[in-house]
Amino acid sequence: MNYRSIAGILVVFACLFSCSEDKSQKEEQVSEQSADTDTIVSGIDTLRTEMIKILKADSGVFRGVTFGMTKEEVSALESDTQRDSTEKTYLDYLFEVNELEEAEVSYFYGKDLKINKIQLNVYPEDQQSQAQYFDELKVFLTQRNGEPKTVTNKNAIWQTPEVLITMKKLGNEKVHDIQVDFVPAPISTPTAAIK
């Protein structure tokens, strides 16, 4: 073998080594990102990235927030989300899900500045996307709260001792939104015994 042959072989090996190194670095980055997402929203491996952006966390009532939290505590939890308005009765956050779809989360509070209602509005691109979001939200909420009390192809209601959740499809031929309301479960009072 001459000097040129050896040099050519070394160049080929160097190229192959650097290409495989770049590919393995990219694979490691992707798997690290997937692992981060899995630790935030666990248990449902069928969720699309768009849905995971909306859910953010599987703790609390929704997105890590629980009723009775202060306005400041919620602001701290949502510090990485774009604030949409500066309303006096609620905190409103808007985030881009993808190029054509957005979601909005509003945290309502009373005079005590503590959260007493959470509302999610999803603005899908079309009717097919609306159906997919609706189905994925239904699976997620059922897994967390048990089977819904009522369910149709346009709405679903869950109730636990802590929360009442109402999800419904809204819109018309051009608008295909989804609204999910989270409110504290109504307190049932025992009826007096009949004498």
Side-chain angles (χ1 to χ4, degrees), residues 74-159:
V74 173
S75 293
L77 276 177
E78 290 288 8
S79 62
D80 61 341
T81 308
Q82 176 187 344
R83 182 88 183 268
D84 189 42
S85 68
T86 55
E87 298 294 327
K88 293 190 178 187
T89 57
Y90 62 94
L91 299 170
D92 196 37
Y93 295 90
L94 184 68
F95 52 100
E96 187 176 302
V97 177
N98 59 43
E99 288 181 13
L100 300 171
E101 300 176 326
E102 294 179 326
E104 181 178 29
V105 179
S106 301
Y107 300 101
F108 295 86
Y109 52 88
K111 291 179 183 178
D112 61 357
L113 302 181
K114 294 189 177 181
I115 302 304
N116 58 23
K117 178 181 177 182
I118 303 169
Q119 185 174 77
L120 164 67
N121 288 291
V122 181
Y123 308 116
E125 174 185 2
D126 54 29
Q127 194 169 8
Q128 180 181 351
S129 187
Q130 179 193 45
Q132 192 169 6
Y133 281 114
F134 187 86
D135 289 343
E136 288 186 34
L137 280 166
K138 187 168 53 174
V139 168
F140 177 76
L141 293 169
T142 298
Q143 203 171 57
R144 293 196 64 215
N145 303 288
E147 289 299 317
K149 285 177 57 171
T150 59
V151 63
T152 69
N153 63 345
K154 292 191 179 250
N155 63 48
I157 298 172
W158 292 263
Q159 184 169 350

Side-chain angles (χ1 to χ4, degrees), residues 27 43 110 163:
E27 287 173 355
V163 64

Side-chain angles (χ1 to χ4, degrees), residues 118-121 137 141 165-167 178-182:
I118 303 169
Q119 185 174 77
L120 164 67
N121 288 291
L137 280 166
L141 293 169
I165 304 165
T166 306
M167 178 172 68
I178 296 173
Q179 180 178 316
V180 185
D181 290 320
F182 301 83

